[in-house]
Amino acid sequence: MDIKRLASQYKTELLDNVLPFWMEHSQDKKYGGYFTCLLRNGEIYDTDKFVWLQARQVWMFAKLFNEVEKRNEWLEMAVSGAEFLRKYGHDGKLNWYFSVTREGKPLTQPYNIFSYAFAAMAFGQLSLATGSKEYSGIAKNTVNIILSKLNNPKGQWNKAFPGTRNLKNFSLPMILCNLSLELEKLMDKTTVERLMTDCIHEVMEVFYRPESGLMVENVSEDGKLSDSFEGRLLNPGHALEAMWFIMDLGEHLKQPELIYKANDIALHMLDTGWDKEYGGIFYFLDRMGYPPQQLEWDQKLWWVHMESLVAMIKGYNLTRQEENLQWFQKIHHYTWEHFKDNEYREWFGYLNRKGEVLLPLKGGKWKGCFHVPRGLYQCWRGLERLSG
Amino acid sequence: MDIKRLASQYKTELLDNVLPFWMEHSQDKKYGGYFTCLLRNGEIYDTDKFVWLQARQVWMFAKLFNEVEKRNEWLEMAVSGAEFLRKYGHDGKLNWYFSVTREGKPLTQPYNIFSYAFAAMAFGQLSLATGSKEYSGIAKNTVNIILSKLNNPKGQWNKAFPGTRNLKNFSLPMILCNLSLELEKLMDKTTVERLMTDCIHEVMEVFYRPESGLMVENVSEDGKLSDSFEGRLLNPGHALEAMWFIMDLGEHLKQPELIYKANDIALHMLDTGWDKEYGGIFYFLDRMGYPPQQLEWDQKLWWVHMESLVAMIKGYNLTRQEENLQWFQKIHHYTWEHFKDNEYREWFGYLNRKGEVLLPLKGGKWKGCFHVPRGLYQCWRGLERLSG
């Protein structure tokens, strides 16, 4: 494995291919914010704005500005989205809508906690770039709202009948692992430390099940396994993404045993999630081998593969286990062969089980300027670190 | 086409294969009601009870008892589900939960209007079999609740922000077409007539778009096309199912022009929905040819094909258009080759685009004892009518 050549491959793909796609096609110069529903060649096919994807794109460009290069065009890109979100993304009290029209009129109620989480990350990261107290205030206040909603994140839109089978979902502690590191410079030390301790506990001691070595998507409120569709659900990509957040936390907190444990779980989830027949990582599985309720269970999604690449290279940097490198090469090969579009810029998002393109889009309601560029950036940095 | 042989093929499959599967595997003799999450061989893999599927199974067995044969086992089967639903399916005020546990504890709030619609159909059909005034009362009162919810069927669980893009969905008028015929004997004449007129108008003059010949899934509140994910959505199976409801209404109301129009739309939707490359009917399409947001868009679902068979044979009986018979044969061939399981009873539900089994289940959260037996029954009767 030529590490230097690989590092440069990821860097070039990010800077010369993927970012220019979003710079060129996603900017809404009339209303601010971004178009994310883009066909293979970048043509816009829908103009609705999904708050979570808007916020992720703000975060991405702010992050690149902060960590790669002080390019004005990246800062302007981030600010355009942030201003749109500040004005139209919430109800005036930082309750973040799920989606709004191109012009900014609310379309979908603020039922989704991830709109809040990514808004906090966006304004937090951008405040580091601009020094804006307004932006850091939005980030901090949004985090406080998230913390106040931990017990019932869906609020009135929660369809579960209370008391019969109270489940908690992996997504929230997982994303808080990411958020706690992101917002360290903005929040007070006690809050951040408590947040880190709590979410590491939830992820590694509640959703991780040592008896099976699996990370499950839902457990009962008291931390037990649930024999139900939700309780049997596995999402390998989700688990792998969480494990690199945990490795980052482990490095930050200087807890090597946490890093090793996270890496072992990542390797096991990959082994569980890998499609031995056609290659690639399944989207959903049932931990008891039953049919999942998700009809898209066998599809191969871009983000799952990007997050796995990041987990493997980060794990190798931190643990030097040979298995990490073998998996990295295997997923690298699959990912570049199937997700990269050799005719147009940016990558495909959705493949069928056999690796054929299922939807010829570059962005949509769920795919924006996030997992591909963040993954390329993380792999580039990871490979660079490895090469010395 | 040997019509008599075909009629007997559908009848035999219903009586000797599909119904015995549900009789044998789905009855919960301890708590009443039915298991619907059944593996290929009938083994139970989940015990949750989905109110909509429970009600559909009650309806199915009551219908067979009323129209095919007075078999006690069918009546007992229907009553077992109805008693479970009467006791545990609702909140005491006929607000029908979406799902309950095996024992009958509520799991999912009554957010889904189809739980109500199928409960009304179940208790209505069963009251004709038993003469129970309690059952007919439940049916009538549930219809009244449905009618009171027409403007906002999802109630507090509606995530659309009011006023920005108020859409109405095809499912409700479509199912009311079915319900209005089902409940004719139970409701007063004026209500039924108004219901029929209203839902025929909605389906044939609002959701049907003459400029494209397509039936769309969502339109704006004032009846206009909407250029949005929801507004571009096509569901050919849905449209075909609705068209045979309309043909039934047309026959009942002695409106031949309504029948001809419905049959023409059905033929056009089939032509639009048929996968010219691999055969079978797509689950979802975008009317402008853009990528649908549903990742399962290209899958081939059992109910879509059953409903299309019914629409084609009914349309042929009523209009004698040669095209109907050609389509019937084409879908018949695809359906029996791909959905019928030659090793175990009942049919597969979910195939990938190429017609390979995607989930090896016979029942689940969405597939119960309904579309296969109802479709077989309708085709059997339709072919019998044709042959005699």
PDB file of all heavy atoms in Angstrom, chain A residues 205-219:
ATOM      1  N   GLU A 205     -21.517   1.053  26.746  1.00  0.00           N
ATOM      2  CA  GLU A 205     -21.964   0.117  27.779  1.00  0.00           C
ATOM      3  C   GLU A 205     -23.457  -0.180  27.736  1.00  0.00           C
ATOM      4  O   GLU A 205     -23.937  -1.032  28.483  1.00  0.00           O
ATOM      5  CB  GLU A 205     -21.559   0.644  29.167  1.00  0.00           C
ATOM      6  CG  GLU A 205     -20.070   0.385  29.435  1.00  0.00           C
ATOM      7  CD  GLU A 205     -19.502   1.290  30.507  1.00  0.00           C
ATOM      8  OE1 GLU A 205     -20.022   1.240  31.630  1.00  0.00           O
ATOM      9  OE2 GLU A 205     -18.556   2.059  30.207  1.00  0.00           O
ATOM     10  N   VAL A 206     -24.189   0.550  26.905  1.00  0.00           N
ATOM     11  CA  VAL A 206     -25.622   0.279  26.814  1.00  0.00           C
ATOM     12  C   VAL A 206     -25.968  -0.269  25.420  1.00  0.00           C
ATOM     13  O   VAL A 206     -26.522  -1.361  25.303  1.00  0.00           O
ATOM     14  CB  VAL A 206     -26.448   1.544  27.135  1.00  0.00           C
ATOM     15  CG1 VAL A 206     -27.934   1.258  26.991  1.00  0.00           C
ATOM     16  CG2 VAL A 206     -26.123   2.046  28.550  1.00  0.00           C
ATOM     17  N   PHE A 207     -25.600   0.484  24.384  1.00  0.00           N
ATOM     18  CA  PHE A 207     -25.936   0.028  23.027  1.00  0.00           C
ATOM     19  C   PHE A 207     -24.969  -1.043  22.525  1.00  0.00           C
ATOM     20  O   PHE A 207     -25.319  -1.845  21.667  1.00  0.00           O
ATOM     21  CB  PHE A 207     -26.015   1.220  22.070  1.00  0.00           C
ATOM     22  CG  PHE A 207     -27.221   2.065  22.325  1.00  0.00           C
ATOM     23  CD1 PHE A 207     -27.171   3.182  23.155  1.00  0.00           C
ATOM     24  CD2 PHE A 207     -28.445   1.722  21.761  1.00  0.00           C
ATOM     25  CE1 PHE A 207     -28.306   3.934  23.413  1.00  0.00           C
ATOM     26  CE2 PHE A 207     -29.581   2.471  22.008  1.00  0.00           C
ATOM     27  CZ  PHE A 207     -29.512   3.584  22.839  1.00  0.00           C
ATOM     28  N   TYR A 208     -23.763  -1.065  23.050  1.00  0.00           N
ATOM     29  CA  TYR A 208     -22.855  -2.165  22.717  1.00  0.00           C
ATOM     30  C   TYR A 208     -23.190  -3.350  23.614  1.00  0.00           C
ATOM     31  O   TYR A 208     -23.318  -3.205  24.835  1.00  0.00           O
ATOM     32  CB  TYR A 208     -21.386  -1.753  22.917  1.00  0.00           C
ATOM     33  CG  TYR A 208     -20.462  -2.938  22.770  1.00  0.00           C
ATOM     34  CD1 TYR A 208     -20.342  -3.592  21.549  1.00  0.00           C
ATOM     35  CD2 TYR A 208     -19.728  -3.426  23.864  1.00  0.00           C
ATOM     36  CE1 TYR A 208     -19.520  -4.705  21.412  1.00  0.00           C
ATOM     37  CE2 TYR A 208     -18.903  -4.538  23.728  1.00  0.00           C
ATOM     38  CZ  TYR A 208     -18.817  -5.170  22.498  1.00  0.00           C
ATOM     39  OH  TYR A 208     -18.009  -6.276  22.366  1.00  0.00           O
ATOM     40  N   ARG A 209     -23.347  -4.528  22.996  1.00  0.00           N
ATOM     41  CA  ARG A 209     -23.737  -5.729  23.748  1.00  0.00           C
ATOM     42  C   ARG A 209     -22.592  -6.731  23.715  1.00  0.00           C
ATOM     43  O   ARG A 209     -22.367  -7.398  22.692  1.00  0.00           O
ATOM     44  CB  ARG A 209     -24.992  -6.359  23.130  1.00  0.00           C
ATOM     45  CG  ARG A 209     -26.105  -5.363  22.803  1.00  0.00           C
ATOM     46  CD  ARG A 209     -26.587  -4.565  23.970  1.00  0.00           C
ATOM     47  NE  ARG A 209     -27.157  -5.352  25.045  1.00  0.00           N
ATOM     48  CZ  ARG A 209     -27.823  -4.825  26.074  1.00  0.00           C
ATOM     49  NH1 ARG A 209     -27.995  -3.510  26.169  1.00  0.00           N
ATOM     50  NH2 ARG A 209     -28.277  -5.610  27.017  1.00  0.00           N
ATOM     51  N   PRO A 210     -21.866  -6.827  24.826  1.00  0.00           N
ATOM     52  CA  PRO A 210     -20.665  -7.670  24.818  1.00  0.00           C
ATOM     53  C   PRO A 210     -20.951  -9.138  24.498  1.00  0.00           C
ATOM     54  O   PRO A 210     -20.114  -9.819  23.914  1.00  0.00           O
ATOM     55  CB  PRO A 210     -20.100  -7.503  26.242  1.00  0.00           C
ATOM     56  CG  PRO A 210     -21.179  -6.871  27.039  1.00  0.00           C
ATOM     57  CD  PRO A 210     -22.074  -6.154  26.111  1.00  0.00           C
ATOM     58  N   GLU A 211     -22.149  -9.626  24.868  1.00  0.00           N
ATOM     59  CA  GLU A 211     -22.442 -11.053  24.636  1.00  0.00           C
ATOM     60  C   GLU A 211     -22.440 -11.393  23.146  1.00  0.00           C
ATOM     61  O   GLU A 211     -22.123 -12.521  22.762  1.00  0.00           O
ATOM     62  CB  GLU A 211     -23.759 -11.476  25.314  1.00  0.00           C
ATOM     63  CG  GLU A 211     -25.058 -10.898  24.757  1.00  0.00           C
ATOM     64  CD  GLU A 211     -25.322  -9.426  25.152  1.00  0.00           C
ATOM     65  OE1 GLU A 211     -24.458  -8.796  25.796  1.00  0.00           O
ATOM     66  OE2 GLU A 211     -26.393  -8.910  24.783  1.00  0.00           O
ATOM     67  N   SER A 212     -22.777 -10.438  22.289  1.00  0.00           N
ATOM     68  CA  SER A 212     -22.794 -10.704  20.846  1.00  0.00           C
ATOM     69  C   SER A 212     -21.697  -9.932  20.121  1.00  0.00           C
ATOM     70  O   SER A 212     -21.421 -10.188  18.952  1.00  0.00           O
ATOM     71  CB  SER A 212     -24.152 -10.300  20.257  1.00  0.00           C
ATOM     72  OG  SER A 212     -24.374  -8.911  20.472  1.00  0.00           O
ATOM     73  N   GLY A 213     -21.104  -8.965  20.808  1.00  0.00           N
ATOM     74  CA  GLY A 213     -20.121  -8.098  20.144  1.00  0.00           C
ATOM     75  C   GLY A 213     -20.752  -7.092  19.202  1.00  0.00           C
ATOM     76  O   GLY A 213     -20.070  -6.474  18.389  1.00  0.00           O
ATOM     77  N   LEU A 214     -22.078  -6.905  19.308  1.00  0.00           N
ATOM     78  CA  LEU A 214     -22.793  -6.038  18.366  1.00  0.00           C
ATOM     79  C   LEU A 214     -23.233  -4.723  19.002  1.00  0.00           C
ATOM     80  O   LEU A 214     -23.506  -4.653  20.206  1.00  0.00           O
ATOM     81  CB  LEU A 214     -24.028  -6.758  17.821  1.00  0.00           C
ATOM     82  CG  LEU A 214     -23.770  -8.031  17.005  1.00  0.00           C
ATOM     83  CD1 LEU A 214     -25.080  -8.764  16.729  1.00  0.00           C
ATOM     84  CD2 LEU A 214     -23.040  -7.706  15.703  1.00  0.00           C
ATOM     85  N   MET A 215     -23.320  -3.722  18.172  1.00  0.00           N
ATOM     86  CA  MET A 215     -23.889  -2.438  18.553  1.00  0.00           C
ATOM     87  C   MET A 215     -25.319  -2.439  18.026  1.00  0.00           C
ATOM     88  O   MET A 215     -25.525  -2.597  16.819  1.00  0.00           O
ATOM     89  CB  MET A 215     -23.054  -1.360  17.855  1.00  0.00           C
ATOM     90  CG  MET A 215     -23.279   0.045  18.275  1.00  0.00           C
ATOM     91  SD  MET A 215     -22.733   0.400  19.961  1.00  0.00           S
ATOM     92  CE  MET A 215     -20.965   0.332  19.822  1.00  0.00           C
ATOM     93  N   VAL A 216     -26.310  -2.308  18.911  1.00  0.00           N
ATOM     94  CA  VAL A 216     -27.705  -2.355  18.454  1.00  0.00           C
ATOM     95  C   VAL A 216     -28.276  -0.945  18.331  1.00  0.00           C
ATOM     96  O   VAL A 216     -27.759  -0.003  18.944  1.00  0.00           O
ATOM     97  CB  VAL A 216     -28.585  -3.217  19.391  1.00  0.00           C
ATOM     98  CG1 VAL A 216     -28.083  -4.666  19.426  1.00  0.00           C
ATOM     99  CG2 VAL A 216     -28.636  -2.631  20.794  1.00  0.00           C
ATOM    100  N   GLU A 217     -29.327  -0.794  17.562  1.00  0.00           N
ATOM    101  CA  GLU A 217     -29.891   0.530  17.286  1.00  0.00           C
ATOM    102  C   GLU A 217     -30.887   0.992  18.343  1.00  0.00           C
ATOM    103  O   GLU A 217     -31.097   2.192  18.514  1.00  0.00           O
ATOM    104  CB  GLU A 217     -30.577   0.549  15.913  1.00  0.00           C
ATOM    105  CG  GLU A 217     -29.619   0.578  14.743  1.00  0.00           C
ATOM    106  CD  GLU A 217     -28.794   1.862  14.679  1.00  0.00           C
ATOM    107  OE1 GLU A 217     -29.376   2.948  14.595  1.00  0.00           O
ATOM    108  OE2 GLU A 217     -27.554   1.767  14.715  1.00  0.00           O
ATOM    109  N   ASN A 218     -31.504   0.046  19.038  1.00  0.00           N
ATOM    110  CA  ASN A 218     -32.501   0.403  20.051  1.00  0.00           C
ATOM    111  C   ASN A 218     -32.428  -0.570  21.218  1.00  0.00           C
ATOM    112  O   ASN A 218     -32.293  -1.776  21.006  1.00  0.00           O
ATOM    113  CB  ASN A 218     -33.919   0.345  19.463  1.00  0.00           C
ATOM    114  CG  ASN A 218     -34.130   1.350  18.354  1.00  0.00           C
ATOM    115  OD1 ASN A 218     -34.290   2.548  18.600  1.00  0.00           O
ATOM    116  ND2 ASN A 218     -34.112   0.885  17.112  1.00  0.00           N
ATOM    117  N   VAL A 219     -32.523  -0.030  22.426  1.00  0.00           N
ATOM    118  CA  VAL A 219     -32.635  -0.874  23.621  1.00  0.00           C
ATOM    119  C   VAL A 219     -33.779  -0.318  24.460  1.00  0.00           C
ATOM    120  O   VAL A 219     -34.243   0.799  24.239  1.00  0.00           O
ATOM    121  CB  VAL A 219     -31.348  -0.861  24.484  1.00  0.00           C
ATOM    122  CG1 VAL A 219     -30.182  -1.521  23.760  1.00  0.00           C
ATOM    123  CG2 VAL A 219     -30.994   0.559  24.900  1.00  0.00           C
TER     124      VAL A 219
END
